[in-house]
Amino acid sequence: MLKHENPNIEIINKNLWAVRFSLIPFIPQISYEPDPDVPVDQVPGQLAPGGLMILNKDYRQYERVKRATISAMSLKPRQINKELDALAHDPVNSPMQVIWRYCLLAELERRKIKKGGVA
């Protein structure tokens, strides 16, 4: 794992960081304005400018989201779309399926932003 000068920021890889969103007001390296109507512990993550994904360590399912995000990042676009298609045809929406779908969609969006697309 890479180190950051701010001990509150965990750098998982160059495109994936993790931080307690409750501490973001005290972390100048991250500019994210949370929605005041959504409790901070209910936000799994956020895309930042430049294609950086920031995961929320305050989120109850953080470890699952972290593992799923790392897995999604390792897939090729064709594989991501195949996974999303398979999820669309499965009527069961277990918590892990919901997390996996969220991470796959977030990874597609992150790549789009990284290539200069609009979020």
Side-chain angles (χ1 to χ4, degrees), residues 42-92:
Q42 292 183 13
V43 178
Q46 180 67 34
L47 289 169
L52 176 66
M53 171 72 76
I54 304 172
L55 299 181
N56 182 3
K57 287 184 166 186
D58 290 323
Y59 186 64
R60 186 178 54 139
Q61 298 289 336
Y62 163 71
E63 286 298 329
R64 285 184 175 179
V65 171
K66 178 181 171 182
R67 286 191 303 271
T69 301
I70 291 168
S71 293
M73 286 180 151
S74 72
L75 298 176
K76 294 179 179 176
R78 176 181 43 81
Q79 294 169 306
I80 292 174
N81 288 323
K82 185 178 177 182
E83 289 287 325
L84 286 168
D85 188 49
L87 287 170
H89 291 93
D90 191 347
V92 178

Side-chain angles (χ1 to χ4, degrees), residues 2-119:
L2 303 169
K3 295 286 183 190
H4 193 278
E5 74 258 9
N6 187 323
N8 294 308
I9 298 174
E10 175 187 350
I11 301 178
I12 300 163
N13 65 46
K14 68 179 184 174
N15 295 307
L16 183 62
W17 291 7
V19 67
R20 295 181 75 87
F21 276 29
S22 59
L23 296 178
I24 284 181
F26 310 105
I27 302 174
Q29 295 90 347
I30 298 174
S31 59
Y32 165 62
E33 295 288 327
D35 183 339
D37 296 330
V38 179
V40 72
D41 63 344
Q42 292 183 13
V43 178
Q46 180 67 34
L47 289 169
L52 176 66
M53 171 72 76
I54 304 172
L55 299 181
N56 182 3
K57 287 184 166 186
D58 290 323
Y59 186 64
R60 186 178 54 139
Q61 298 289 336
Y62 163 71
E63 286 298 329
R64 285 184 175 179
V65 171
K66 178 181 171 182
R67 286 191 303 271
T69 301
I70 291 168
S71 293
M73 286 180 151
S74 72
L75 298 176
K76 294 179 179 176
R78 176 181 43 81
Q79 294 169 306
I80 292 174
N81 288 323
K82 185 178 177 182
E83 289 287 325
L84 286 168
D85 188 49
L87 287 170
H89 291 93
D90 191 347
V92 178
N93 279 319
S94 72
M96 196 57 222
Q97 287 173 309
V98 172
I99 288 170
W100 183 228
R101 184 175 189 280
Y102 168 85
C103 293
L104 291 167
L105 290 170
E107 178 56 14
L108 285 176
E109 188 64 21
R110 187 197 68 76
R111 291 177 186 186
K112 180 180 169 185
I113 292 169
K114 187 122 180 132
K115 285 184 177 180
V118 178

